[in-house]
Amino acid sequence: MRILLLGGTTEASQMATCFAANDMDVVFSYAGRTTAPIAQPLPTRIGGFGGVDGLATYLKSQKITHVVDATHPFAAGMSRNAHAACTNAAVPLIRLERPAWQVGIGDNWTLLPDIEAIPRALPDAPSRIFLAIGKQQIGLFATQPQHHYLLRLVDQPAAALPLTDTKVVVARGPFDVAGDAALMRDHQITHVVAKNSGGQGAQAKLEAARMLGLPVLMAQRPVLPGDSIASTADEVMGWLGHEADRGV
Ligand code: 3Y8
Ligand code: NAP
């Protein structure tokens, strides 16, 4: 059994620790989105595969027998490519995915179908927006230049940002409620923008928003293919054991 673990999330790091503890033959894969990703206890590759065909070629050349997709719920491109490549190559695939956040008492959420729908859901009047969605999609908000944007990014931006009135905070999660509440108060935030990532790493801003009585514009997750889904590392280990029993 030789496993490709598609990473980039807390769950992927937990899965990596489990695989390493069991001395399993695994390659960990990062997209290469950040300058200094967290080191993993497994042999690690960094960078794209070159689409579905590139991934299929990788599976064959590396003699991968199973793929665990532990990428982020919003990493739809990778998950869709993994499903297509594994289907073509008849390599078993499972997705390790954390449950979505559910709105709770005291939350003031507006649910949007995706990130693209959020800019036009913002108020017309100039406001102070906490954009905690990374850097890849902040350009969408250029259509709403009247606002001040607080951007939390993993790395200092290398190029000019597509927004004018911004304040950048460079920080890597997981975050805590007290820190996020202080950040929002210090920057007099009026609205929080988030994607329904689930998990603990990005949840603090939602609890801080509830504490401060701030509205949250929440993007729903993309729909992903595949019917083998696990929510814990143990479930993945069980699936692999079952696969091994099947002689796969
Ligand atoms: C490169 C690997 C681990 C994984 C830690 C998790 C938790 C901390 C919270 C906020 C939200 C956001 C963002 C976030 C969190 C964890 C997890 C998570 C959100 C690293 C990492 C990589 C990335 C990529 C990065 C994205 C961006 C998203 C920032 C490493 C640190 C906003 C998602 O600047 C960029 O281009 C950043 C891009 C994709 C979302 C986006 O669309 O911009 N993650 N994040 C992975 C790779 O190269 O394959 O550098 O160590 C991983 C983590 N980020 O092992 O403990 O599991 O979610 N990551 C979101 O959830 O909204 C921050 O600020 O409140
Ligand atoms: P994406 O849009 O779904 O993927 C775009 C392309 O990036 C993929 O087609 C693939 O390139 C490459 N890629 C993505 N994940 C990869 C991986 N683990 N290993 C190798 N190549 C990968 O991905 P994304 O949303 O930019 O996320 C990139 C990474 O950040 C993922 O590992 C994800 O888990 C992590 N992350 C994302 C978010 C988020 O909000 N999107 C949050 C936290 C962490 P090729 O087509 O060339 O193969």
Side-chain angles (χ1 to χ4, degrees):
M1 180 179 281
R2 180 157 159 75
I3 298 163
L4 172 63
L5 174 54
L6 299 173
T9 58
T10 304
E11 288 71 21
S13 298
Q14 291 163 348
M15 190 77 251
T17 302
C18 178
F19 283 153
N22 287 279
D23 280 332
M24 294 169 74
D25 183 1
V26 182
V27 177
F28 188 100
S29 181
Y30 275 126
R33 279 268 181 281
T34 55
T35 52
I38 295 169
Q40 296 292 339
L42 295 169
T44 298
R45 64 170 299 288
I46 298 183
F49 295 98
V52 175
D53 294 345
L55 178 53
T57 302
Y58 181 87
L59 296 177
K60 202 169 298 158
S61 64
Q62 291 295 314
K63 299 182 176 42
I64 301 294
T65 61
H66 295 77
V67 175
V68 177
D69 173 6
T71 61
H72 191 273
F74 280 78
M78 185 70 258
S79 294
R80 288 175 181 141
N81 286 2
H83 184 262
C86 288
T87 303
N88 298 347
V91 169
L93 164 70
I94 190 166
R95 190 163 77 243
L96 174 54
E97 187 172 83
R98 64 261 188 133
W101 294 313
Q102 303 299 327
V103 65
I105 309 282
D107 284 334
N108 172 8
W109 290 8
T110 301
L111 301 182
L112 285 309
D114 49 34
I115 291 268
E116 286 74 12
I118 291 187
R120 58 181 177 275
L122 290 172
D124 292 336
S127 304
R128 299 178 65 80
I129 317 294
F130 180 25
L131 265 195
I133 56 168
K135 75 166 181 281
Q136 300 181 86
Q137 293 168 301
I138 52 182
L140 293 171
F141 293 83
T143 59
Q144 307 294 327
Q146 72 272 31
H147 303 307
H148 171 76
Y149 291 99
L150 171 63
L151 305 176
R152 177 150 66 188
L153 304 177
V154 178
D155 295 315
Q156 192 65 36
L161 291 168
L163 303 176
T164 48
D165 183 0
T166 62
K167 168 72 180 162
V168 172
V169 169
V170 176
R172 171 195 295 268
F175 302 102
D176 64 74
V177 179
D180 277 8
L183 183 70
M184 293 180 197
R185 263 199 299 270
D186 293 350
H187 292 271
Q188 299 163 303
I189 295 301
T190 58
H191 296 75
V192 176
V193 170
K195 35 185 155 182
N196 200 326
S197 315
Q200 276 77 43
Q203 191 167 12
K205 59 182 174 286
L206 305 180
E207 289 164 37
R210 184 189 307 138
M211 267 170 55
L212 300 174
L214 294 180
V216 175
L217 290 95
M218 178 70 75
Q220 296 308 88
R221 297 177 169 187
V223 176
L224 299 176
D227 44 21
S228 294
I229 299 170
S231 52
T232 65
D234 282 349
E235 284 176 27
V236 173
M237 294 301 281
W239 176 79
L240 289 168
H242 172 72
E243 291 287 311
D245 294 346
R246 281 189 332 125
V248 176

